[in-house]
Amino acid sequence: MKINDAFWGLLLMALGATVLFAVRNYPNIPGQPVGPALFPGLIALGMCIGGAMLVWQGWRDRADGPWLEWEDWVNSPRHTRALVALLGSVVFYIVVADDLGFLITAVLMMFTLFRSLQVPWRRAVFWAVVATLVVHFAFYKLLRVPLPWGVLTPLAW
């Protein structure tokens, strides 16, 4: 869903700066070596750095061209499908995560997003499973964030 690197870079930097502003007020947890702001702060910092790189690349690539090509984006069925897949997957997660559990919901959501980006289905399955397990380990085991188990509750470890 690419309109222009510089445009998306500015949006990514704004979102990262907003998250950094929000996490500065997170309270510290007594007895913990790191606070709850560490992980979202690192992600937000990465977003700002990535956004700055996109802005630089966009400026370099479009020095004499337009910054925003709305017609190419709005009239593209591929971009419309990708946007619907993105919004639909977020709604899907919100609606069914408690019943199905994080693992099943996230794999289905990631698979759908990869396929909407035209990733071959075997790679989409592989990376959906790998990404879900990495995120689950990071949040559930390392950061001790409670995640819904849903139908897999008997298998919760």
Side-chain angles (χ1 to χ4, degrees), residues 4-60:
N4 176 296
D5 286 341
F7 177 74
W8 284 114
L10 289 171
L11 288 178
L12 195 59
M13 287 172 46
L15 180 60
T18 303
V19 172
L20 284 173
F21 182 76
V23 300
R24 68 181 174 80
N25 293 324
Y26 282 13
N28 287 330
I29 299 173
Q32 294 291 327
V34 296
L38 177 68
F39 187 69
L42 288 175
I43 296 294
L45 183 62
M47 290 167 60
C48 289
I49 292 169
M53 292 170 64
L54 283 172
V55 168
W56 178 76
Q57 182 70 34
W59 255 317
R60 206 179 83 186

Side-chain angles (χ1 to χ4, degrees), residues 15 24 47 63 72 104 108 143:
L15 180 60
R24 68 181 174 80
M47 290 167 60
D72 293 340
I104 295 172
L108 292 172
L143 298 174

Side-chain angles (χ1 to χ4, degrees), residues 82-150:
L83 180 61
V84 168
L86 176 65
L87 296 175
S89 66
V90 170
V91 170
F92 174 75
Y93 183 84
I94 291 169
V95 171
V96 303
D98 285 336
D99 295 328
L100 285 181
F102 173 81
L103 292 171
I104 295 172
T105 307
V107 166
L108 292 172
M109 187 175 95
M110 295 291 287
F111 175 76
T112 302
L113 292 173
F114 284 134
R115 288 298 294 150
S116 73
L117 295 171
Q118 299 178 340
V119 174
W121 73 270
R122 287 184 179 152
R123 282 192 206 145
V125 168
F126 175 78
W127 287 111
V129 170
V130 168
T132 298
L133 292 175
V134 166
V135 169
H136 183 270
F137 180 78
F139 278 88
Y140 191 73
K141 289 293 187 181
L142 296 178
L143 298 174
R144 300 183 191 269
V145 174
L147 296 173
W149 281 91

Side-chain angles (χ1 to χ4, degrees), residues 62-73:
R62 296 205 180 237
D64 17 305
W67 262 52
L68 198 55
E69 297 286 345
W70 283 107
E71 288 301 315
D72 293 340
W73 189 80

